């Protein structure tokens, strides 16, 4: 296939041709030609050549795929007609992809502890490390300084070193790039799961299915001459690095974290399988659900290795502040990975575009980031992907290209405001809403309500645009009932972030063993008491309503069963972890309400109240264990304040009140429900009603979610529209879970108002 793209004379001239399969039909070829005509090849080639002629590097290659088809493949400066390039850490996603495939095959989960497959690993504080921690660089095992370089050639010795390591940070809490240990961790985990060597598993799961004919983590001796030599500039801190890398290559040392050798064509093809949501050229490779999980933000923060603000998925990186090497201002559209001062690869999920740009000269961070950014800008513009967002990042490219760790939010949200003690109020036009359509939504609400009272508040960009009140006090506080579950979830995320609770997957019994002390006759009703299987209940299962607590025959994590008493156990356990709740004297403890006040209400200048209450239950019931629920009283403005906090993924005017990764995880349907419930019940995350599967509001944005409780209390949040709608009460019922046709109808009925409000957003 290479002879269609390269010849010995091409070493000093760019090649930019479609890659045609000899067996391709005429129609397919014509279709590809139309695609190529839609890209400005000349501008891409001009930027490619400019960088070489400026002496930034002496050899480079670029490949671009669109909709699964190759549309650009340029090579210049290579002395071999079939050149190979080293891409270092750009290979990390390809190594991680073996684990992605195993996840798709149900052989593991992101929350599976590594020690389940690799028992020797689970020592010295590593027993809680999960596969997700490894793939997101939060395992706390970033240092490789204690592993002698001579041992790199002996896989077994390296693994022994890994087994002897202790985490430097609490697993799951800190982003610290695992530059080399990532590969050994992934490689050994793959071997333990598959009982194959890593290179064999990689070939079976990634290389052969995707047809990556010129890709591998080691190079056969006969191909050494194909590898483009590395160069280092005069200011490079390690002048021997290039020769050291040549030594690693010739020693055939396999480092899954950084020894990948490939072509831009193969690398872009790999990313095309990601941009195509798991399918390339109509051939499925991974389920779209796995691609979504992999490319969703998993962890972020100031990277302890580089000091830059880092945002990571599961083996891939997401863009941080613009400008970045992907030239992306959309923090969720693009994923990719760079390689040590030389290269980048990325996939645009919204446009099904993939790019690999590889050079042969190391550069310091700023000049390297500049050349990668400018090449990515050229590609985006050539495909018509330039936009207001792209213009925003382009004008910054002379500013030193440093990331701003203080501003992790989306570019489009910089000008928004946060409510102070009081909200700002603006006219619809000022906030990008069509006044006539918004008025029509108001009339719809009034007609639907008849004589029933309601309070509806609509906020956009941090300002109130409308408040509709009928026969009710607009500032009175209303009980939030089960809408409080979303606040409970938020506090749990904080507790995990602060290390008071090690992980949402920890067993509740480790923190609050009293919840198992509910004997028959002491529960809230006949047949409800603690069962032996309840000992395995985790915090995640409680907040996700899949715990099965006091539910006969329901194993933890297997059934979505909406409940109240499990929430009481959750709040008591968290408060106990903070030493704020005592079962022996529940009346006197500060309790969970105080904790919410400290952790959320005060930081966002809220004014809501809270009380501890009990249902009327039999005299023998252990209220001290499963009673004393925390009830919040809120006005619509306080509800909208919480909604604005969630919409901003836990950020409040620069203060990360709730961990961003937690909000993003909690507001998507949980894996427990996805794996165990039918599609129509794919509606709930970790304390939130979630629309990412479009089962609640099929015609509304998939990123919308809600807190919802009895008394018609709803906080509807839509990040893509920058919109929050609170009703307290509304005229749309709220009866809890989707346990009947009536309840499904009730929730979807709310779409009538929300849809009209959403339709009024004009810009």
């Amino acid at each position: 296939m290479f002879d269609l793209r390269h010849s010995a004379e091409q070493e000093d001239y760019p090649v930019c041709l479609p890659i045609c399969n000899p067996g391709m039909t005429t129609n397919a070829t014509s279709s590809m030609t139309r695609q190529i005509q839609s890209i400005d090849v000349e501008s891409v080639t001009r930027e490619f050549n400019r960088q070489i002629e400026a002496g930034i590097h002496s050899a480079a290659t670029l490949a671009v795929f669109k909709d699964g088809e190759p549309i650009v493949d340029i090579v210049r400066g290579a002395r071999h007609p079939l050149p190979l390039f080293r891409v270092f850490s750009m290979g990390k996603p390809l190594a991680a992809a073996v684990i992605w495939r195993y996840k798709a095959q149900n052989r593991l989960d992101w929350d599976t502890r590594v020690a389940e497959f690799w028992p020797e690993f689970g020592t010295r504080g590593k027993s809680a490390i999960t596969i997700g921690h490894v793939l997101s660089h939060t395992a706390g095992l970033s240092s490789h300084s204690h592993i002698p370089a001579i041992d790199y050639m002996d896989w077994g010795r390296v693994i022994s070193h890994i087994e002897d390591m202790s985490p430097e940070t609490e697993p799951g809490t800190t982003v610290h790039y695992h530059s080399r240990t990532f590969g050994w961790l992934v490689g050994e985990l793959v071997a333990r799961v598959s009982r194959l060597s890593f290179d064999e598993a990689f070939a079976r799961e990634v290389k052969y299915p995707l047809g990556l004919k010129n890709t591998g983590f080691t190079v056969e001796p006969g191909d050494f001459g194909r590898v483009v030599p590395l160069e280092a500039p005069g200011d490079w801190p390690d002048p021997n690095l290039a020769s050291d890398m040549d030594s690693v290559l010739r020693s055939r040392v396999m480092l899954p974290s950084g020894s990948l050798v490939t072509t831009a064509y193969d690398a872009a093809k790999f990313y095309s399988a990601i941009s195509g949501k798991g399918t390339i050229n109509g051939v499925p490779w991974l389920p779209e659900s796995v691609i979504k999980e992999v490319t969703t933000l998993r962890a972020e923060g100031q990277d302890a290795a580089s000091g830059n603000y880092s945002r990571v998925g599961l083996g891939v990186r997401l863009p941080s502040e613009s400008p970045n090497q992907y030239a992306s201002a959309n923090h969720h559209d693009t994923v990719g990975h760079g390689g040590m001062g030389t290269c980048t690869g990325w996939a645009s999920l919204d446009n099904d575009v993939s790019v690999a740009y590889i050079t042969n000269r190391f550069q310091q961070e700023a000049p390297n980031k500049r050349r990668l950014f400018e090449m990515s800008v050229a590609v985006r513009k050539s495909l018509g992907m330039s936009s207001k967002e792209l213009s925003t990042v382009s004008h910054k490219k002379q500013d030193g290209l440093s990331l701003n760790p203080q501003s992790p939010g989306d570019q489009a949200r910089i000008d928004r405001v946060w409510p102070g003690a009081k909200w700002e109020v603006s006219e619809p036009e000022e906030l990008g809403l069509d006044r006539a359509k918004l008025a029509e939504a108001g009339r719809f609400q009034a007609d639907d309500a008849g004589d029933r009272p309601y309070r509806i508040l609509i906020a956009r960009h941090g300002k109130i645009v409308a408040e509709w009140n009928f026969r009710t006090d607009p500032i009175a506080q209303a009980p939030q009932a089960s809408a409080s579950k979303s606040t409970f979830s938020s506090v749990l995320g904080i507790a995990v972030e602060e290390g008071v609770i090690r992980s949402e997957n920890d067993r509740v019994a480790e923190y609050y063993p009293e919840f198992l002390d509910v004997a028959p006759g002491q529960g809230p009703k006949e047949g409800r008491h603690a069962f032996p299987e309840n000992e395995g209940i985790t915090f995640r299962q409680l907040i996700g309503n899949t715990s099965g607590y006091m539910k006969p025959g329901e194993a933890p994590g297997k059934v979505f069963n909406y409940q109240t008493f499990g929430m009481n156990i959750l709040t008591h356990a968290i408060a106990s972890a903070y030493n704020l709740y005592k079962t022996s004297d529940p009346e006197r403890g500060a309790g969970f309400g105080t904790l919410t006040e400290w952790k959320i209400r005060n930081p966002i200048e809220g004014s809501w109240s809270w009380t501890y209450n009990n249902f009327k239950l039999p005299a023998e019931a252990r209220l001290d264990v499963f009673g004393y629920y925390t009830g919040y009283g809120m006005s619509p403005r306080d509800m909208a304040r919480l909604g604005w906090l969630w919409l901003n993924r836990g950020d409040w005017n620069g203060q990360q009140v709730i961990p961003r990764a937690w909000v993003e995880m909690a507001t998507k349907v949980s894996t427990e429900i996805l794996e165990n419930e039918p599609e129509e019940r794919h509606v709930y995350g970790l304390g939130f009603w979630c629309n990412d599967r479009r089962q609640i509001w099929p015609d509304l944005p998939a990123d919308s979610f809600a807190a919802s409780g009895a008394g018609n209390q709803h906080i509807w949040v839509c990040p893509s529209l920058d919109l929050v709608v609170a009703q307290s009460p509304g005229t749309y019922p709220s009866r809890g879970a989707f346990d009947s046709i009536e309840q499904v109808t009730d929730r979807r009925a709310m779409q009538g108002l929300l849809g009209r409000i959403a339709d009024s957003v004009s810009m």
Side-chain angles (χ1 to χ4, degrees), residues 592-672:
F592 193 83
T594 298
L595 186 61
T596 311
E597 184 178 328
W598 293 346
K599 299 298 182 181
I600 298 180
R601 192 192 75 175
N602 293 348
I604 68 172
E605 297 186 77
S607 60
W608 66 78
S609 62
W610 52 267
T611 59
Y612 301 132
N613 300 291
N614 284 313
F615 295 107
K616 292 182 179 180
L617 296 169
E620 298 81 8
R622 288 292 305 274
L623 290 178
D624 54 341
V625 173
F626 63 75
Y628 292 95
Y629 67 84
T630 302
Y632 304 112
M634 297 187 188
S635 68
R637 291 194 172 201
D638 267 327
M639 296 170 70
R641 190 177 292 267
L642 266 177
W644 191 241
L645 174 66
W646 294 326
L647 184 146
N648 284 281
R649 300 175 182 88
D651 175 81
W652 192 265
N653 200 17
Q655 178 184 358
Q656 199 68 42
V657 177
I658 310 167
R660 181 186 183 108
W662 179 269
V663 177
E664 294 191 341
M665 175 174 63
T667 55
K668 295 180 176 61
V669 176
S670 71
T671 54
E672 291 83 359

Side-chain angles (χ1 to χ4, degrees), residues 13-180:
Y13 298 94
V15 180
C16 189
L17 296 172
I19 315 305
C20 301
N21 187 319
M24 183 179 293
T25 64
T26 301
N27 289 340
T29 305
S30 299
S31 173
M32 184 178 295
T33 301
R34 287 194 298 272
Q35 288 178 342
I36 292 171
Q37 290 172 347
S38 69
I39 180 173
D40 181 1
V41 174
E42 182 178 349
S43 65
V44 173
T45 305
R46 187 164 52 247
E47 175 59 28
F48 184 92
N49 288 340
R50 183 195 69 79
Q51 294 194 13
I52 289 181
E53 290 158 7
I56 299 173
H57 43 257
S58 62
T61 180
L62 170 74
V64 181
F65 277 60
K66 177 75 173 78
D67 299 326
E69 296 286 354
I71 57 174
V72 171
D73 189 23
I74 308 175
V75 180
R76 182 173 175 183
R79 312 311 297 179
H80 194 281
L82 306 176
L84 298 172
F85 286 76
R86 278 169 283 194
V87 298
F88 306 104
S89 289
M90 189 173 149
K92 282 184 169 69
L94 285 83
V98 183
I99 295 183
W100 303 348
R101 289 269 288 186
Y102 292 162
K103 171 62 166 65
Q105 297 162 14
N106 295 317
R107 300 171 76 170
L108 49 80
D109 207 340
W110 311 128
D111 296 325
T112 302
R113 298 189 180 195
V114 174
E116 290 188 24
F117 293 104
W118 180 2
E120 301 91 336
F121 176 84
T123 61
R124 300 181 182 270
K126 300 192 298 297
S127 62
I129 293 176
T130 67
I131 294 172
H133 293 155
V134 170
L135 295 184
S136 62
H137 297 272
T138 61
L141 302 173
S142 60
S143 175
H144 57 265
S145 60
H146 67 293
I147 304 177
I150 190 66
D151 286 353
Y152 287 10
M153 299 182 65
D154 187 326
W155 186 270
R157 290 181 66 85
V158 171
I159 296 308
S160 294
H161 288 301
I162 296 288
E163 291 169 354
D164 285 341
M165 291 178 70
S166 296
E168 297 179 357
T169 56
E170 184 72 21
T173 64
T174 305
V175 178
H176 193 159
Y177 185 57
H178 290 38
S179 60
R180 297 186 188 178

